[in-house]
Each structure stands twice: as structure tokens, then as C-alpha cells.
Amino acid sequence: MSNNLYHNRYRIPSARATWHDYNGGAYFVTICTRNMVHYFGEIVGGEMRFSEIGRYADEQLRNVSSHYPYAQIPLWVVMPNHIHAIVLIDGDIQNRIVTDVETMCTVETMCTSSLQQTPINQRWKNESVNEHMQIISQKRGLLSTTIGGLKRAVTRFTNAHALSFAWQTRFHDRIIRDRDEMNRIAEYVENNVARWDADRFNV
């Protein structure tokens, strides 16, 4: 779980109806294991004791921005059978990345074409970069891309180490629309371990 004092350090973006595209905004995300099995560890004496899978999941959450630069997870908690996280998505960063990649490919295509006089590089730029990035950012949404990537990373880790594990198919998300809602959710996340005995996920 993040050690940042979150309540007074983050400026919440204004709520916008356009958040429905999941390419920008703040979200409260919950991801559960299949059948609520305690794959991530156990809470003992008011502390979360990670399993090998739990430690890896916590590491992936901590380093999410290195894999998805448009995403930040400033606050999260890994519980025995689920994860809560506040996820910030900045679609403008992704748009800049796509623009930079397309610019780079355009320059590379011009240089290569001047030598080889072939349209293959241009087709690669259009199909591989432009269309692929549009599919990710527009159809799936950046939030789904981020959470899907986290889930796949944990699954690959467990497969590589022959560990029993399975995710619940979907994840739950809630748009955080204002500062008060953010503070309530942050308090819930920070106190999730301490309140495990009364948690509805405690099965």
C-alpha cells in the first residue's frame, strides 16, 4: 500500500461528462480473485502478510507508471483476495506519446523511403502505430488497458512459478468526481486492513 499522505497532496481534476470514455480522470478500482480465494496472503494481527503472489502484485501496482506512463496509482491496498486502488488516468499524456511515435515513424519512413523507395514503412506506420494505438485508447479505454495489463502481469508470474491463481473475470470501477469523494475513498483504502474483520470481501 502506498505510504503517501494522499488527502492533502493531490488536486482533484474537475468532473466532466466526457470521463465516460475512460481516457481521463480519477477512478476507484477493485479487482478480485476468482471465488475470492486468498491468493495474496493473510491478515494477521492487523497486518497484511503477503504471499509470493501478493508481493508481486504490490510491486506491479507500485511501478505501474513505468509500464503505462499515462496512469498513476498513488494509493492502493492488496488484501487477501482483492485489490483496491485509486487510479489516475491522463489521456493527454497518451496522446502526446502517440504523436511522438507517429512523428518518429514519419521521419524514419522519409529517411528509409529516400533510400529504398518502398511504401512498406508507410504502411507499417499507419497500421502498426496509428491503428493499434487507436484501438487501445479509443475502444478499450486507457483504464481497462492499465488494469488488464496488471492482471496479465500477475497471471504470467504465477504461471512461470507454477503457482495456483486465477482472477475474477472483470473488475469494478467507480469514477471519483470531487475532492470529498476522493478523501472518503482514500480513508477507506488506508483503513482497509484494519477493518478486515467487518469487510464484505472477508470470505
Side-chain angles (χ1 to χ4, degrees), residues 47-60:
E47 295 184 356
M48 178 64 186
R49 297 186 179 179
F50 289 138
S51 66
E52 188 175 1
I53 302 173
R55 284 192 296 273
Y56 185 81
D58 186 73
E59 179 183 337
Q60 294 305 300

Side-chain angles (χ1 to χ4, degrees), residues 16 18 21-25 68-71 89-104 129-130 133-139 141-142:
R16 298 181 300 158
T18 54
D21 66 2
Y22 289 75
N23 288 337
Y68 306 95
Y70 50 78
I89 298 292
D90 186 345
D92 291 338
I93 290 179
Q94 176 67 1
N95 290 337
R96 289 197 294 272
I97 292 173
V98 173
T99 299
D100 291 344
V101 170
E102 289 180 338
T103 301
M104 178 184 69
V129 177
N130 190 34
M133 297 303 288
Q134 285 182 6
I135 289 173
I136 291 177
S137 63
Q138 295 179 7
K139 293 186 177 180
L142 299 181

Side-chain angles (χ1 to χ4, degrees), residues 6 10-22 24-28 86-88 173-185:
Y6 192 75
Y10 177 67
R11 294 186 305 164
I12 304 304
S14 59
R16 298 181 300 158
T18 54
W19 280 9
H20 75 277
D21 66 2
Y22 289 75
Y27 306 91
F28 177 44
I86 293 175
V87 183
L88 312 179
D173 63 86
R174 173 179 175 179
I175 298 173
I176 303 174
R177 296 187 176 276
D178 55 44
R179 186 181 301 276
D180 289 341
E181 187 174 10
M182 175 68 80
N183 287 338
R184 287 194 300 271
I185 291 172

Side-chain angles (χ1 to χ4, degrees), residues 61-79:
L61 290 159
R62 188 180 306 278
N63 298 318
V64 66
S65 295
S66 63
H67 302 288
Y68 306 95
Y70 50 78
Q72 297 181 45
I73 302 182
L75 189 64
W76 72 91
V77 61
V78 178
M79 301 292 284

Side-chain angles (χ1 to χ4, degrees), residues 71-188:
Q72 297 181 45
I73 302 182
L75 189 64
W76 72 91
V77 61
V78 178
M79 301 292 284
N81 55 11
H82 67 282
I83 293 170
H84 290 308
I86 293 175
V87 183
L88 312 179
I89 298 292
D90 186 345
D92 291 338
I93 290 179
Q94 176 67 1
N95 290 337
R96 289 197 294 272
I97 292 173
V98 173
T99 299
D100 291 344
V101 170
E102 289 180 338
T103 301
M104 178 184 69
C105 292
T106 299
V107 172
E108 182 178 328
T109 299
M110 291 173 62
C111 295
T112 306
S113 295
S114 65
L115 296 175
Q116 299 180 353
Q117 296 297 318
T118 175
I120 294 178
N121 292 308
Q122 182 67 34
R123 289 202 304 271
W124 179 88
K125 180 183 80 68
N126 290 337
E127 296 175 5
S128 181
V129 177
N130 190 34
E131 294 181 11
H132 179 66
M133 297 303 288
Q134 285 182 6
I135 289 173
I136 291 177
S137 63
Q138 295 179 7
K139 293 186 177 180
R140 293 188 60 196
L142 299 181
L143 179 65
S144 293
T145 300
T146 303
I147 301 304
L150 287 168
K151 293 176 71 174
R152 286 191 298 275
V154 174
T155 299
R156 285 195 299 267
F157 174 83
T158 58
N159 289 339
H161 292 80
L163 299 172
S164 176
F165 179 78
W167 289 107
Q168 183 173 295
T169 303
R170 301 179 184 275
F171 66 91
H172 179 268
D173 63 86
R174 173 179 175 179
I175 298 173
I176 303 174
R177 296 187 176 276
D178 55 44
R179 186 181 301 276
D180 289 341
E181 187 174 10
M182 175 68 80
N183 287 338
R184 287 194 300 271
I185 291 172
E187 182 180 8
Y188 173 79

